[in-house]
Amino acid sequence: MTGRICASAAGKVILLGEHAVVYGRPALAIPLQGLRAWATLTPHAGPFRIQAPAVGVDALLSDLPMEHPLARIVYLTAEHFGFAPPQALLRIDSEIPVASGLGSGAAVSTAVVRALAAWYGVEAPPEVVSALVYEVERIYHGTPSGIDNTVIAYGRPIYFVRGQPPRPLAVGGTFFLLIADSGIPSPTREVVLDVRRRWEADRERYEGLFDRIAEQVEAAHRAIVEGNAAELGARMNENHRLLQEMGVSAPVLDRLVDAARRAGALGAKLSGAGRGGNVVALVEADAAGCVAKGLKEAGARRVWQSTVHEKNT
Ligand code: MEV
């Protein structure tokens, strides 16, 4: 008899390259180890049941539509490993705000795959977890690049190009980040669709923007390898400007970005799909408190701290 099993997965933040990554350009992303989703499996007599109180789910697996993201990841995982869903209760809890660009959906799916794999006593290597979670991401996001499921399944900072295995980021210093939640939901699917419509209407302009974003990503990548925070901050600022030009920022995000810079951040930009969601700011360690205060005064609902350093490479 299997005992209680608990697995988790980190949220994520995109450092540079969102949207352009959907069109084959590179992007950089890191896991947010302090912000996690949890999947707990408890043996119980009866068919597989799922409880996710935060999203109002308390149902037998068989009563959920096949395309429900939680049902889908359970079926996909069971099918992949060749087992039937066990006689168990699956409980989902998450610290990651929903629709905020922090990968809550991919983190929940990843935690479920890990919990089921542990239940079955099988290995779930990151490339397998990532591929299973990608199938569910398609329900949420339509045509995702795969960056969210990849960074979350691998659980380390990555340089990512669509369709290629991720490259671990070689981090040459310690970088201090603040992530500020605007409190406005970021409708990833709609924003990605809107960018596609704009790209279809003016491919030359959008391909040019994506190329300029790719240049920022490459320069930021070099800055991370060299441990050059000032340069990384400058690249983040320029990436934000290009995202504004692309039409995916919003006054609330620009306000947070400006507040972070005024309070001393080395760089700041929207992160994720935009129009809402969160802003990421790069700060010097001793400026973190002031920048966090500035972000809150400018309306941030929550501010989280994270560091990127050699240890997470
Ligand atoms: C969403 O986290 C990032 C986007 O680039 C979409 C994607 O890569 O699938 C906006």
Side-chain angles (χ1 to χ4, degrees), residues 52-134:
V55 288
V57 172
D58 182 359
L60 291 180
L61 175 65
S62 53
D63 288 343
L64 286 172
M66 296 282 272
E67 286 309 299
H68 188 288
L70 288 171
R72 184 115 176 87
I73 194 64
V74 171
Y75 287 127
L76 280 166
T77 309
E79 191 187 11
H80 177 83
F81 291 113
F83 292 93
Q87 288 204 330
L89 171 71
L90 170 66
R91 161 126 186 163
I92 306 293
D93 296 287
S94 180
E95 304 155 357
I96 310 166
V98 175
S100 65
L102 298 175
S104 77
V108 165
S109 298
T110 299
V112 171
V113 178
R114 287 178 178 160
L116 285 167
W119 179 285
Y120 297 137
V122 291
E123 282 289 311
E127 63 277 13
V128 168
V129 177
S130 181
L132 292 169
V133 174
Y134 182 75

Side-chain angles (χ1 to χ4, degrees), residues 12 14 17-22 101 141 143-148 188 192 272-273:
K12 68 89 193 118
I14 296 186
E18 50 276 272
H19 287 294
V21 70
V22 176
H141 300 319
T143 54
S145 65
I147 190 167
D148 289 15
T188 301
V192 169

Side-chain angles (χ1 to χ4, degrees), residues 23 39 78 94 100 107 127 153 173 264 274 278 281 301 310:
Y23 298 82
S94 180
S100 65
E127 63 277 13
N278 67 87
R301 293 286 164 82
E310 282 105 325

Side-chain angles (χ1 to χ4, degrees), residues 9 29 43 46 86 115 117-118 126 139 145 165 175 206 209 217 250 257-258 292 312:
I139 307 176
S145 65
F175 299 96
Y206 273 77
L209 281 169
V217 172
V257 163
D258 288 345
N312 15 63

